[in-house]
Amino acid sequence: SALKDSRFPPLTREELPKLFCSVSLLTNFEDASDYLDWEVGIHGIRIEFINEKGVKRTATYLPEVAKEQDWDQIQTIDSLLRKGGFKAPITNDFRKTIKLTR
């Protein structure tokens, strides 16, 4: 993603000394009871949903993403839907159709 991820500009030489690396291990996966059955800063989340074209899509955030962005659960879910390519308006009824794994 440092060079070929279209969501980000490529890294420059000047940025290289400022880089650091970390590893997140996601274990003990659990199916959530609904899209709000997880805690910001504690759980990584993976969602599955059917987009506006009827295609199954998925998207994942590591546990630290929502906390670093200072998002609540709804902001995180909505961002994750957009990350997964959902382009239609996001309603509470649509959020209820999401399958969430934490």
Side-chain angles (χ1 to χ4, degrees), residues 4-19:
K4 297 182 181 181
D5 189 327
S6 62
R7 296 174 295 163
F8 309 103
L11 288 173
T12 65
R13 261 186 219 280
E14 293 76 28
E15 292 174 301
L16 291 177
K18 299 175 188 175
L19 294 180

Side-chain angles (χ1 to χ4, degrees), residues 9-68:
L11 288 173
T12 65
R13 261 186 219 280
E14 293 76 28
E15 292 174 301
L16 291 177
K18 299 175 188 175
L19 294 180
F20 70 94
C21 181
S22 65
V23 175
S24 295
L25 299 176
L26 302 179
T27 62
N28 302 322
F29 295 99
E30 303 173 310
D31 289 335
S33 60
D34 63 36
Y35 73 98
L36 294 175
D37 184 22
W38 61 281
E39 294 181 55
V40 171
I42 302 296
H43 297 108
I45 57 173
R46 178 180 184 266
I47 62 170
E48 293 180 17
F49 61 94
I50 305 299
N51 73 7
E52 61 280 1
K53 295 180 181 179
V55 177
K56 181 179 173 181
R57 302 295 304 258
T58 65
T60 303
Y61 275 151
L62 298 172
E64 58 270 16
V65 173
K67 187 173 181 176
E68 287 175 357

